[in-house]
């Protein structure tokens, strides 16, 4: 039994829970914010989710945590329900989709939650009770604190304005559109069982888009196949058979990869440039929409570093296949290091045992 320090409506907690459920790993979940000093000492930062094992070790950062656990399953001979494709090219594309889900869809998921009144009031109530019960102040004051913080940090502080809001909202619709092009042909994005691509997409799709009032209504009424996919991944342990992932990247993945090139990789490029220049804010133009005053994040530079490392580890033959799958403008960011990506985070690659940093 492991402990997951997490939040019931958290983006990345939902992602990790989807993985643990699929693998049949028993866990209990607890709120980390009343134990912040203890967690910060052990894990470096209070970023949910964090796993605390029975041996006292702490694992933080969902992607390397899942990678470590998959490696441990293989080493122990438990190779059932693996989420990383064995084909190196499919594996790389799956990790690219996961990174897109983790780092690009975040903005629209948070915007839907905090820009819409019904969503904002519901989630303020939930988070007030989960995040601030240890704070000695009346509940109405704690509610006000939570609402003000979330709006300032995740809407106004992340480039969501009257000018950009329509494009931010469209990001959600585009994600469902490109997913559907793949799910029309099989139950999961890259096979008959879930891959790390599905687990990654559960971050935004589970706890935000499929549960928050405004996006869940859109998904349920206009994109019921995506609603069905969310439930399918959540219940995959009971319904999916033995591991069955594709040994090639299907043609129907092209719309997804094009969307990633036009959005996620643009953000990676401009964030890395700004970080390298020592800036704290940056601008970018994505699909014709100009975003201003975005926060530069060290963690996203680290994500780009990890993607580049995954690509560099491929054989020349597999690199050529990945490049053929990514002919879109801007995709050379992955293999062309003209734009520097040196985050200074986890230099020794100890993650998920490395001390975490603030992701946003």
């Amino acid at each position: 039994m492991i402990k997951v320090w997490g939040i019931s409506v958290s983006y990345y907690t939902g992602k990790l829970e989807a993985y643990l459920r699929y693998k049949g790993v028993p866990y209990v979940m607890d709120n980390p914010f009343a134990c912040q000093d203890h967690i910060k000492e052990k894990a470096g930062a209070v970023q949910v989710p964090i796993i605390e094992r029975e041996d006292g070790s702490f694992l933080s950062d969902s992607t390397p945590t899942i990678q470590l656990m998959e490696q441990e399953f293989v080493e122990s001979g438990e190779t059932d329900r693996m989420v990383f494709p064995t084909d190196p090219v499919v594996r790389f594309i799956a990790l690219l989709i996961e990174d897109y889900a983790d780092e690009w869809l975040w903005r629209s998921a948070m915007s839907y939650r905090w820009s819409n009144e019904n969503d904002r009031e519901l989630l303020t109530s939930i988070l007030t009770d989960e995040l601030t019960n240890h704070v000695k102040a009346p509940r109405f004051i704690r509610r006000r604190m939570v609402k003000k913080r979330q709006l300032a940090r995740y809407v106004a502080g992340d480039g969501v304005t009257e000018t950009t809001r329509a494009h931010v909202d469209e990001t959600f619709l585009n994600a469902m559109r490109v997913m559907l092009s793949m799910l029309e042909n099989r139950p999961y994005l890259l096979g008959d069982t879930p891959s790390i691509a599905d687990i990654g997409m559960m971050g935004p799709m589970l706890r935000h888009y499929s549960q928050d009032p405004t996006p869940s209504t859109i998904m349920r009424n206009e994109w019921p196949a995506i609603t069905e996919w969310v439930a399918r991944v959540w219940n995959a342990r009971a319904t999916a058979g033995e591991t069955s992932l594709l040994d090639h990247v299907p043609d129907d993945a092209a719309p997804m990869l094009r969307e990633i090139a036009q959005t996620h990789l643009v953000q990676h490029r401009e964030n890395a440039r700004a970080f390298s220049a020592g800036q704290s804010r940056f601008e970018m133009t994505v699909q014709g929409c100009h975003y201003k005053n975005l926060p530069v994040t060290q963690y996203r530079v680290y994500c780009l570093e990890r993607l580049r490392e995954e690509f560099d580890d491929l054989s020349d033959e597999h690199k050529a296949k990945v490049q053929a799958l990514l002919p879109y403008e801007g995709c050379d960011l992955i293999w062309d290091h003209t734009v520097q990506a040196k985050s200074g985070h986890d230099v020794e690659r100890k993650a998920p045992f490395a001390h975490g940093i603030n992701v946003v």
Side-chain angles (χ1 to χ4, degrees), residues 34-217:
C35 304
Q36 291 185 63
D37 292 343
H38 168 65
I39 295 171
K40 191 170 183 179
E41 177 189 353
K42 299 292 185 179
V46 184
Q47 296 280 355
V48 295
I50 293 171
I51 285 179
E52 182 177 357
R53 288 176 154 177
E54 291 179 337
D55 64 4
S57 61
F58 278 66
L59 313 180
S60 61
D61 195 341
S62 62
T63 298
T65 293
I66 292 171
Q67 289 175 331
L68 172 72
M69 295 184 75
E70 285 290 279
Q71 178 184 334
E72 291 177 342
F73 278 119
V74 170
E75 291 172 353
S76 66
E78 299 179 45
T79 57
D80 187 28
R81 304 176 188 273
M82 305 308 291
V83 300
F84 288 101
T86 55
D87 180 88
V89 175
V90 182
R91 172 191 162 92
F92 180 83
I93 294 300
L95 285 168
L96 179 61
I97 294 171
E98 183 208 24
D99 199 56
Y100 157 77
D102 278 358
E103 303 303 326
W104 173 253
L105 294 179
W106 168 268
R107 182 176 291 106
S108 72
M110 296 303 281
S111 176
Y112 269 101
R113 174 169 287 184
W114 298 108
S115 298
N116 296 293
E117 183 177 3
N118 287 343
D119 307 64
R120 183 168 61 246
E121 293 304 315
L122 173 62
L123 272 297
T124 296
S125 182
I126 293 171
L127 288 177
T128 296
D129 293 337
E130 291 200 33
L131 301 184
T132 69
N133 267 349
H134 62 289
V135 177
K136 294 181 179 180
R139 189 174 185 272
F140 78 92
I141 292 178
R142 290 185 281 122
R143 275 182 56 88
R144 188 183 304 160
M145 289 166 53
V146 168
K147 188 186 302 186
K148 182 178 179 180
R149 174 188 182 273
Q150 300 302 94
L151 277 168
R153 193 171 186 183
Y154 299 126
V155 180
D158 200 27
V160 182
T161 66
E162 291 183 3
T163 303
T164 62
R165 174 75 186 278
H167 182 261
V168 171
D169 287 356
E170 190 70 16
T171 292
F172 163 47
L173 305 181
N174 286 345
M176 291 193 294
R177 189 174 293 115
V178 297
M179 286 178 67
L180 189 59
S181 74
M182 302 173 75
L183 294 173
E184 284 176 336
N185 298 311
R186 58 198 159 270
Y188 301 97
L189 295 173
L190 292 170
D192 291 329
T193 55
S195 72
I196 190 62
D198 298 276
I199 299 299
M201 291 298 288
M202 282 289 276
M205 292 291 168
L206 173 64
R207 291 284 160 72
H208 283 253
Y209 297 144
S210 74
Q211 293 185 2
D212 291 354
T214 300
S216 68
T217 300

Side-chain angles (χ1 to χ4, degrees), residues 179-327:
M179 286 178 67
L180 189 59
S181 74
M182 302 173 75
L183 294 173
E184 284 176 336
N185 298 311
R186 58 198 159 270
Y188 301 97
L189 295 173
L190 292 170
D192 291 329
T193 55
S195 72
I196 190 62
D198 298 276
I199 299 299
M201 291 298 288
M202 282 289 276
M205 292 291 168
L206 173 64
R207 291 284 160 72
H208 283 253
Y209 297 144
S210 74
Q211 293 185 2
D212 291 354
T214 300
S216 68
T217 300
I218 296 170
M219 181 186 288
R220 194 167 53 247
N221 292 342
E222 301 180 28
W223 302 86
I226 306 301
T227 302
E228 183 182 14
W229 168 86
V230 171
R232 190 158 56 241
V233 177
W234 190 246
N235 195 40
R237 183 161 187 84
T239 58
E242 295 183 3
T243 305
S244 178
L245 299 175
L246 298 176
D247 59 5
H248 66 284
V249 178
D251 292 343
D252 56 36
M256 170 80 79
L257 299 180
R258 185 184 304 111
E259 177 71 8
I260 291 172
Q262 292 177 353
T263 59
H264 176 50
L265 294 183
V266 174
Q267 177 171 265
H268 261 333
R269 182 185 68 233
E270 299 307 321
N271 180 71
R273 281 177 173 169
F275 184 82
S276 181
Q279 299 170 1
S280 62
R281 315 294 292 187
F282 72 100
E283 299 183 11
M284 66 180 181
T285 299
V286 177
Q287 295 174 328
C289 181
H290 189 65
Y291 290 81
K292 299 179 181 179
N293 203 32
L294 296 170
V296 174
T297 71
Q298 179 187 11
Y299 183 78
R300 285 184 180 146
V301 180
Y302 171 68
C303 291
L304 177 56
E305 283 183 287
R306 295 300 296 257
L307 276 178
R308 285 178 169 178
E309 288 170 8
E310 291 283 349
F311 180 83
D312 290 344
D313 285 343
L314 296 172
S315 68
D316 289 345
E317 177 186 358
H318 293 143
K319 287 177 181 176
K321 289 182 177 180
V322 168
Q323 289 172 327
L325 289 164
L326 298 171

